[in-house]
Amino acid sequence: MAEFYERFIHETFDADGRPVACRYVYGPDFNYGYDVADALAEVHPDRVAMRWRDDRGRARDLTFADLRSLSDRAARLLAGRGLHRGDVLMAALRCHWQYWVVALAAHKLGLILAPVYHLLSEDDLAYRMQAAQVRGVVCCRDGDAPARVRAAADRAGTVAVRLTIDGAAEGFADFDALLAAQPEGWDRVATACHDPMLLYFTSGTTGKPKGVLHDFVYPLANHCGARYMQDGHDGSVHFATGDTGWEVVSGTKFYSQWLCLVTLLVYDCDRFSAEAVLALLERERATSVMAQPTVYRKLTDVGLDRYDLSSVTCWAVGGEKLLPDLAETVRAQTGQPLYEGYAQSEAGLIAALSKVGGLRPGSVGRILPKYHVELLRPDGRFAAPGEEGEIVLVADGGHRPEGLLIGYLGDEEATRHILDGDLYHTGDLATRDADGFLYYKGRADGIIKTKGYRVSPVEVEALLGQHPAVYECLAAGIADRDLGQRIRAYVHLRAGEAPSEALAQELMAWHNARCTGYRKIRELAFVPALPRNDNGKLVRGRPIEPGAVYPYRP
């Protein structure tokens, strides 16, 4: 019997059952909301699509029929508030179940959905709203999120529609109450498959965060991760960490899982608790887990072998570089390997280890057949096996591969920089072997990956550089057992300032009080000068030999 996803994805396999090619089949008006989510409600109306649980004991199961009904009514609600095809709708909803309903409704209306992290500062939110000309926002009521979102929306001046879930907040209408008042039914709205559907802001190394635009075909290209890396299939119960404000959710607990008839196990919590998560996996009989190395550190510190996790047959990891000792600890506690992957916000999953594709020590995975991947040498030639080069995706015949970004929002120069003719430049360095396994070497541009988040060193430097004692500074990621990388700042002081531990603590406290938590500087070193090339340009990635390094002591 054909799999549901085979309506849209046709694969070719080798003699060992490994996928070696895939072809996407979709119409000019393909829309995940109608053609996947609603279609699943037709063929599997009573199938549970999501088991939602939170740390307050609340639980809600949503079937595909529920999702169709709720997203239809949400689409009617948003349209009634004046939102139309092409408008940008921001969602700051943590992992509340309403996110998935709002997302499907946005897709059905042809809106551009812009998920954001609910703990972003007012400045961060205002920048994103202004850059995207956001017309509407749906926000959670956790902490002071409504106040920050409201202040940012006032500054942006374009956000006419303002809704909060779980009741109304000051300046916001009650999404849930309005949703319940909507009648059933919704007529399909005309959309185009290559219209922009998603807008994610990702940290870069120059200037402000860039808005990554994906089209309506993007959800299809995520299937490789769910089907292979996460071993998703009819009957799977899949758990993944990650806030809905980040792109990783698209590939780890949304589109691709439902294509493969996987039930999502979603845990919504204020603070991560390894014990609570392990108890949830045991109680709900999860079959697969996807998390960052930082999360696995916490889980293994408690002990994966202290719980009955015999139902879990696939452990997957991504978001940061996996250190060998952690992989060995997970195997010792579960008897199973960790399947690592390599992905980008701009392109989704590019390579992965899997049961089907195999394991290879030190590798981030076998290149997936969704892309034509090469390694580009500095001389412009493609690298042979064993040679280092930049990972690039090749647009064969000029066709932009499904899953690759449309471009950066309002930034043609940045788009041209990464989409160079028939090549997409990842900015990541790697080698590959003759069997197509990638070995990641690092970022060419210094992006810091900490706690599963991407942090631009430029953002850290721009803020810290505002302190009157700082002449110039450089931020870098330092390997860290628990965080993946911790942020270290190298500071060149202004004339008249003297290095001291007291000043180091003052600088870190000053910076950290003004930024989102994952961007906090964890340690600081004073240096007499920063590394520069012959043209005076700051050089990233060059080793710096500091004197004393001061850890942050809040």
Side-chain angles (χ1 to χ4, degrees):
M1 184 176 178
E3 300 280 359
F4 177 83
Y5 74 80
E6 290 176 333
R7 294 185 180 192
F8 314 101
I9 302 159
H10 296 176
E11 297 171 299
T12 302
F13 301 89
D14 65 14
D16 295 319
R18 291 189 294 261
V20 294
C22 67
R23 179 170 59 89
Y24 298 94
V25 181
Y26 52 87
D29 62 347
F30 174 78
N31 183 308
Y32 185 95
Y34 300 115
D35 299 314
V36 177
D38 282 3
L40 286 167
E42 287 293 327
V43 295
H44 299 290
D46 299 323
R47 177 73 63 90
V48 174
M50 178 191 296
R51 298 183 199 167
W52 179 83
R53 310 289 186 260
D54 77 357
D55 55 356
R56 289 178 252 175
R58 295 182 298 178
R60 181 161 186 171
D61 289 351
L62 294 172
T63 66
F64 286 117
D66 293 332
L67 287 170
R68 177 174 57 182
S69 173
L70 289 167
S71 62
D72 280 351
R73 286 188 276 143
R76 188 180 294 277
L77 163 59
L78 296 172
R81 293 259 155 170
L83 296 181
H84 305 287
R85 176 179 172 181
D87 287 341
V88 179
L89 175 68
M90 180 172 281
L93 291 173
R94 275 187 24 168
C95 285
H96 296 300
W97 62 265
Q98 289 95 331
Y99 171 79
W100 285 262
V101 172
V102 169
L104 291 175
H107 302 338
K108 289 180 175 184
L109 274 174
L111 306 179
I112 302 172
L113 180 69
V116 295
Y117 187 39
H118 76 290
L119 291 178
L120 290 178
S121 69
E122 178 189 326
D123 287 345
D124 288 333
L125 290 164
Y127 167 75
R128 286 158 173 75
M129 288 177 176
Q130 290 162 353
Q133 292 293 286
V134 169
R135 290 271 298 122
V137 62
V138 187
C139 178
C140 63
R141 294 188 62 213
D142 300 271
D144 65 346
R148 282 181 283 106
V149 169
R150 184 178 67 252
D154 289 344
R155 288 167 56 180
T158 61
V159 189
V161 180
R162 306 179 187 188
L163 302 161
T164 46
I165 62 170
D166 296 329
E170 182 182 349
F172 296 83
D174 185 337
F175 173 84
D176 296 319
L178 292 170
L179 182 69
Q182 301 300 313
E184 292 282 350
W186 176 255
D187 294 328
R188 182 167 182 150
V189 170
T191 60
C193 64
H194 294 307
D195 280 350
M197 181 190 88
L198 280 169
L199 172 61
Y200 284 105
F201 283 88
T202 183
S203 294
T205 54
T206 57
K208 294 285 190 178
K210 295 180 175 65
V212 177
L213 284 166
H214 283 291
D215 65 16
F216 278 82
V217 180
Y218 171 72
L220 295 179
N222 281 281
H223 100 284
C224 284
R227 180 66 191 91
Y228 300 111
M229 181 184 181
Q230 300 155 28
D231 195 29
H233 53 270
D234 189 350
S236 293
V237 177
H238 177 67
F239 172 84
T241 55
D243 187 278
T244 61
W246 306 106
E247 183 275 339
V248 65
V249 164
S250 292
T252 62
K253 52 181 177 185
F254 196 169
Y255 305 110
S256 50
Q257 284 69 35
W258 287 343
L259 273 168
C260 297
L261 287 177
V262 171
T263 295
L264 299 178
L265 175 58
V266 176
Y267 184 53
D268 191 7
C269 58
D270 287 322
R271 297 183 64 85
F272 180 87
S273 163
E275 291 86 351
V277 167
L278 290 167
L280 175 76
L281 298 177
E282 179 183 73
R283 183 172 62 253
E284 300 290 341
R285 306 303 292 163
T287 62
S288 59
V289 174
M290 177 77 203
Q292 301 91 350
T294 303
V295 171
Y296 276 107
R297 287 283 183 198
K298 294 178 180 179
L299 297 178
T300 55
D301 284 347
V302 172
L304 294 164
D305 50 357
R306 290 181 53 202
Y307 293 78
D308 177 9
L309 303 178
S310 56
S311 59
V312 181
T313 59
C314 181
W315 302 89
V317 62
E320 307 155 13
K321 186 69 181 80
L322 175 65
L323 298 179
D325 72 299
L326 178 57
E328 292 168 6
T329 301
V330 172
R331 186 185 286 273
Q333 292 186 5
T334 67
Q336 298 180 54
L338 260 181
Y339 294 111
E340 189 174 4
Y342 164 70
Q344 284 202 330
S345 298
E346 292 86 348
L349 192 65
I350 296 171
L353 300 171
S354 66
K355 291 181 180 180
V356 172
L359 291 164
R360 196 67 56 93
S363 171
V364 294
R366 188 190 293 269
I367 295 168
L368 297 170
K370 63 190 258 192
Y371 290 131
H372 174 186
V373 176
E374 297 286 354
L375 302 183
L376 186 66
R377 294 166 28 134
D379 61 9
R381 294 191 293 115
F382 290 149
E387 294 182 333
E388 184 173 293
E390 180 196 7
I391 302 169
V392 295
L393 309 185
V394 182
D396 293 315
H399 171 73
R400 177 172 58 86
E402 287 83 357
L404 186 60
L405 82 165
I406 300 170
Y408 290 123
L409 176 72
D411 196 336
E412 293 184 5
E413 182 179 351
T415 301
R416 284 195 301 270
H417 180 71
I418 61 163
L419 296 176
D420 178 18
D422 287 344
L423 297 181
Y424 163 70
H425 293 268
T426 66
D428 287 328
L429 302 177
T431 61
R432 68 189 289 180
D433 62 23
D435 295 324
F437 284 89
L438 276 183
Y439 298 81
Y440 180 77
K441 299 300 181 183
R443 287 290 299 172
D445 59 10
I447 280 288
I448 302 165
K449 293 187 175 181
T450 182
K451 297 176 69 176
Y453 302 109
R454 288 166 51 96
V455 176
S456 166
V458 172
E459 293 178 278
V460 177
E461 294 155 8
L463 179 54
L464 182 60
Q466 295 175 31
H467 191 284
V470 176
Y471 174 69
E472 61 180 359
C473 57
L474 183 147
I478 306 300
D480 187 281
R481 175 187 179 275
D482 297 319
L483 303 176
Q485 288 183 310
R486 62 184 179 275
I487 299 174
R488 177 187 291 173
Y490 297 93
V491 175
H492 178 192
L493 291 171
R494 291 189 180 277
E497 298 287 348
S500 68
E501 179 167 8
L503 180 55
Q505 295 300 327
E506 176 189 331
L507 293 175
M508 287 187 281
W510 186 92
H511 173 277
N512 293 348
R514 291 165 171 79
C515 73
T516 307
Y518 62 88
R519 292 185 192 148
K520 287 185 177 180
I521 298 171
R522 303 286 177 170
E523 57 189 36
L524 185 146
F526 295 108
V527 293
L530 297 178
R532 298 185 181 278
N533 62 19
D534 293 339
N535 295 323
K537 184 178 179 180
L538 191 66
V539 178
R540 300 187 186 278
R542 181 180 295 177
I544 301 175
E545 297 297 333
V549 176
Y550 301 101
Y552 181 46
R553 305 184 194 283

